[in-house]
Amino acid sequence: MQLRIFTEPQQGASYDDLLAVAKATEELGFDAFFRSDHYLAMGTDGLPGPTDAWTTLAGLARETSRIRLGTLVSSATFRHPGVLAIQVAQVDQMSGGRVELGLGTGWYEQEHAAYGIPFPAKRFGMLEEQLEVITGLWHTPAGQTFSFTGEHYQLTDSPALPKPAQPQVPVLVGGHGKRRTPALAARFASEFNIAFPQLGDIPAGFARVHQACQDIGRDPADLTYSVALVACVGADEAEVGRRAAAIGREPAELRENGVAGTPAEAAARIREVQEMGAERVYLQILDLADLDHLDLIAREVAPQLS
């Protein structure tokens, strides 16, 4: 079971805050540091303001040496796929081949309005074409060109450069859709993620991707299956309550929906989702100033997992 740290910096974090968390992630033995890709806070003032996901990851690529780095997830509305392919390839080179791309349709209309970003009512076609373009550019042999004609994007004789350091950058597709999302994951993804699910829905969500893979002749075991869950762990009940209050949540609700409670409770929840088919858990850390939280999870939760 891999444990990854997942942050929501639009809620209020500077690059230095993220750097501190990323360094702790690496030093404490977690597998990866991921961040959301948003430009507007939700329910807070978000001070000091948003940080761009791929600019952040470029900096962290040079400040870390082991952990994987990625987005959960970038929005197809934010960047042209040709530009995003260049950005991700460059950050992958800067990291020595440690980058992963999570890509989705985008959903937060208000942040688009706030920064003048178009927000079409129908975006799934954009996402599908972006995945075709990005993977097509990366996989085009050096010396050849890539062209694409779609409803949303047209590329003509692209040199398809630069190339990532990795032979294949892992692509993450996620969501709760019952038909189109599993099919997209089967076609393009190396990982399928369900973010903040009702726990009982996890097995069926994974099963739909298994079936979508089988439908196109792909081995379902080619994909990694993961979940993202909020984390709130304390050495005792008082510490659980303090950490829950710091993120504006109730301990009972966190225990029901996330990885929360004492280290023993947190480990039991992770083992529960592992039995449902999850091979990787993204722990959503909302209080980025509380590095002791990460330390506790690394010392007291991770050793209880296989």
Side-chain angles (χ1 to χ4, degrees), residues 203-224:
F206 290 160
R208 286 190 287 269
V209 177
H210 288 189
Q211 184 60 56
C213 287
Q214 292 168 354
D215 290 344
I216 63 170
R218 182 178 182 184
D219 184 352
D222 284 349
L223 277 77
T224 298

Side-chain angles (χ1 to χ4, degrees), residues 94-156:
M94 293 168 71
S95 71
R98 293 182 286 122
V99 159
E100 304 184 13
L101 170 64
L103 192 61
T105 59
W107 61 270
Y108 192 18
E109 184 173 7
Q110 189 175 348
E111 71 183 334
H112 292 75
Y115 287 96
I117 303 168
F119 187 73
K122 295 182 179 180
R123 301 178 302 283
F124 198 91
M126 293 175 59
L127 172 60
E128 184 173 13
E129 288 189 17
Q130 288 217 357
L131 288 167
E132 291 188 62
V133 169
I134 291 166
T135 57
L137 287 167
W138 288 341
H139 295 155
T140 297
Q144 297 184 21
T145 61
F146 175 82
S147 297
F148 179 85
T149 301
E151 179 183 350
H152 304 282
Y153 307 104
Q154 296 81 40
L155 287 77
T156 303

Side-chain angles (χ1 to χ4, degrees), residues 228-259:
L229 297 169
V230 63
C232 181
V233 185
D236 52 33
E237 195 58 39
E239 193 166 73
V240 173
R242 176 176 64 78
R243 288 199 165 112
I247 61 174
R249 305 279 282 270
E250 292 296 329
E253 177 266 322
L254 289 165
R255 280 185 163 99
E256 179 179 354
N257 298 307
V259 175

